[in-house]
Amino acid sequence: MTTLPLPTNGTTERGSTRARRRAELASLRRHPSARTGTRAEPLSVSYYVIALVMAVLVPLGLVMVLSSSSITQFQAGNSPWRYFQRQLIWAIAGSVVLWLALRIPLKRVRMLCRTFWLAAMGMMLIPFVPGVGVSVRGARAWVGLGPVIFQPSEFLKLAVLLVVADVITRRESRMGEPRHVLLPCLTVIGLGAALMIAQNDLGSAIVLAAINGVFYSGIRLRNRSAAALEKSQPLTQALALIKRDLA
């Protein structure tokens, strides 16, 4: 009678290696925090603050839209829920996009933020194309492609936020040097605001300029103080010399 050979240790090791590789590949398809061999870092307080603000402002905005448009739409013979339903659909779509964006690795976002900014700057030129750009209340800041109408400045606002955040993160150790941090951020913001002003969209330009205030408020006070002291050293030395001469 023929007996089958028992599996050797090499066969067992190869089987366990394949199983381990399959588990690693499966973990890579999940969220980065769920990958094998990594510990999920606790979420920061800022994450919960932003989530709370979004959870309050989105429903509040929907209620305001319903309150301000229901009567006028009813008087016009339309459904009172017309604009509310439209905004609700976009809110749901935005929530889905947010969930997908949270699953993108941060490293990939930082790699693509500058490309996204350049693409958004290019999109800002589309409203100037005859037959494509749409003027609303004197602002030529919209693009009409068939039934779809959108505002390129909304993409630019997000792109500027990503680029400014990337610059701050890369040059965190040089926050006290305006030439290396403040100037690049002001350049990115200024170019975008100039295109918005050219479109007669002053509201979007003001919102984009406010990003600079958000950026500056994130700088630690000690970094700003160090930069101010560094710039004031020549003045301090001059005052000391004048005081010595007067004495």
Side-chain angles (χ1 to χ4, degrees), residues 171 174-185 231:
R171 305 180 183 183
R174 312 183 75 173
M175 292 294 286
E177 304 177 16
R179 183 167 61 91
H180 294 93
V181 181
L182 183 61
L183 184 59
C185 293
K231 300 300 181 183

Side-chain angles (χ1 to χ4, degrees), residues 1-244:
M1 186 172 91
T2 305
T3 58
L4 296 175
L6 295 175
T8 61
N9 292 335
T11 304
T12 305
E13 292 178 358
R14 284 195 297 271
S16 61
T17 303
R18 293 174 182 173
R20 186 163 54 252
R21 288 179 179 175
R22 284 195 295 267
E24 291 176 355
L25 291 175
S27 66
L28 290 175
R29 299 189 188 99
R30 300 194 298 268
H31 192 272
S33 62
R35 293 177 182 174
T36 305
T38 61
R39 294 183 58 186
E41 297 181 358
L43 298 176
S44 62
V45 177
S46 301
Y47 177 87
Y48 292 104
V49 171
I50 294 175
L52 179 62
V53 170
M54 185 186 69
V56 172
L57 290 183
V58 171
L60 181 62
L62 292 174
V63 172
M64 293 297 102
V65 169
L66 178 62
S67 176
S68 61
S69 64
S70 58
I71 301 299
T72 56
Q73 290 300 308
F74 178 76
Q75 292 177 348
N78 300 322
S79 172
W81 304 89
R82 181 183 179 187
Y83 284 112
F84 174 79
Q85 291 174 348
R86 184 182 301 177
Q87 294 298 321
L88 180 61
I89 292 174
W90 282 112
I92 295 174
S95 301
V96 174
V97 173
L98 173 64
W99 179 77
L100 294 175
L102 289 174
R103 302 179 66 84
I104 301 176
L106 182 59
K107 184 178 180 181
R108 183 174 299 178
V109 174
R110 294 181 61 180
M111 289 175 57
L112 298 177
C113 66
R114 298 186 182 183
T115 304
F116 180 44
W117 176 74
L118 291 175
M121 291 289 290
M123 291 174 61
M124 289 291 293
L125 302 176
I126 300 179
F128 297 105
V129 178
V132 180
V134 178
S135 181
V136 178
R137 296 181 181 178
R140 195 173 182 83
W142 299 79
V143 175
L145 299 175
V148 179
I149 299 178
F150 65 94
Q151 195 172 5
S153 60
E154 299 300 326
F155 296 95
L156 183 60
K157 293 174 187 176
L158 176 60
V160 169
L161 281 173
L162 293 176
V163 171
V164 170
D166 182 59
V167 171
I168 294 174
T169 304
R170 292 180 184 274
R171 305 180 183 183
E172 184 179 3
S173 59
R174 312 183 75 173
M175 292 294 286
E177 304 177 16
R179 183 167 61 91
H180 294 93
V181 181
L182 183 61
L183 184 59
C185 293
L186 287 179
T187 302
V188 172
I189 296 171
L191 291 175
L195 287 176
M196 292 177 182
I197 294 175
Q199 296 175 351
N200 292 327
D201 188 7
L202 183 60
S204 296
I206 293 175
V207 172
L208 192 66
I211 296 177
N212 180 43
V214 176
F215 149 76
Y216 194 72
S217 65
I219 301 178
R220 293 182 179 178
L221 183 61
R222 64 183 183 184
N223 291 333
R224 278 182 277 177
S225 301
L229 290 174
E230 181 181 356
K231 300 300 181 183
S232 63
Q233 282 182 359
L235 179 61
T236 304
Q237 294 174 358
L239 291 176
L241 291 176
I242 293 174
K243 183 178 180 180
R244 186 186 63 181

